[in-house]
Amino acid sequence: MEAAASEADRKPHFGLADKQPEKTVSTAVENKEKGALGEEQMAGSASKQPKYIAVVPSEPVSTDINLDKIDPNLVSVVNPESLETEIFKVLRGKILFPASGKPPRSIMVTSAVPGEGKSFVAANLAVNMAQNIEDHVLLMDCDLRRPTIHKMFGLGRVKGLSEHLANGNKITDLLIKTGLGELSLLASGTPPHNPSEILSSAKMASLLDEFKTRYQDRYLIIESPPPMLAPETTAIAKQVDAVIVVIKFGSTPLDAVEELIDNLGKDLSLIHI
């Protein structure tokens, strides 16, 4: 899971997939120059564990993003008229106006193998949605091993999700208001020694449930590492409405993609863009 830069440097081209009610919605994104697609699952055993309560603020706090330091790969900001940005607009439309009639409110972005461009897709999709709809969008970085999202927004190391899960820091002290439409950012924070355990915990499940149920006027976009390297991604996928799998066209092993989709299973259909 190397290279913050190499992940962001991939500029995907897209396709999308739907998830059935009560099951893992899958969104597929393919690349125009490379390709992108992602998906995951989650071990939902939180019901048998102590209930944790996460207090999620109605408005994010912290400092705004310095636009001068934004990564050039955040094309939805630095090059809003580019072909890549237009493709993200198409993807946004597929998400907001699905065939089922009900758009997914929580979306996870992952990949079958590292370096496919999931950070590029997650960040640009979040920006594109936040700048073009009235609802709030929260971008959450769940790659606690090799986080990238904060760098794309021109940030240095900042506290985030790991501090909340491991140390109990308040979410109100960790959310970053980007100044890009209605977009807030929850960075990964300091890499912990046990990322799989804390991301698969009841506390994480409660946090996701809090965002999904208490704030139904928001969209939640989660970046998570490939499940073959990070089993917690499988756990997270079971708690979201949709999954985007990022695939590098002509490079990603087909068997890796098939294994990922088999793990999600359950009535997966693709709509290519």
Side-chain angles (χ1 to χ4, degrees), residues 242-255:
V243 176
I244 293 178
V245 180
V246 181
I247 297 172
K248 183 180 179 182
F249 181 75
S251 174
T252 306
L254 180 59
D255 57 350

Side-chain angles (χ1 to χ4, degrees), residues 96-118:
L96 296 178
F97 306 102
S100 65
K102 184 178 181 180
R105 286 284 176 170
S106 55
I107 303 165
M108 185 179 73
V109 181
T110 189
S111 58
V113 295
E116 301 290 73
K118 62 181 175 58

Side-chain angles (χ1 to χ4, degrees), residues 128-200:
N128 205 287
M129 291 182 67
Q131 291 183 324
N132 291 281
I133 62 176
E134 294 182 357
D135 294 341
H136 287 79
V137 178
L138 172 63
L139 175 60
M140 181 185 298
D141 190 353
C142 288
D143 190 342
L144 301 189
R145 293 173 176 81
R146 296 181 182 274
T148 300
I149 293 293
H150 65 286
K151 296 179 182 178
M152 293 193 69
F153 285 86
L155 297 170
R157 180 67 69 190
V158 292
K159 293 181 179 180
L161 180 60
S162 64
E163 277 75 19
H164 170 69
L165 297 176
N167 304 330
N169 289 39
K170 294 181 180 179
I171 288 292
T172 47
D173 297 332
L174 301 173
L175 291 182
I176 297 170
K177 189 172 183 178
T178 66
L180 302 170
E182 299 297 334
L183 178 63
S184 308
L185 171 65
L186 179 59
S188 63
T190 305
H193 70 278
N194 59 341
S196 182
E197 287 76 11
I198 66 173
L199 285 172
S200 301

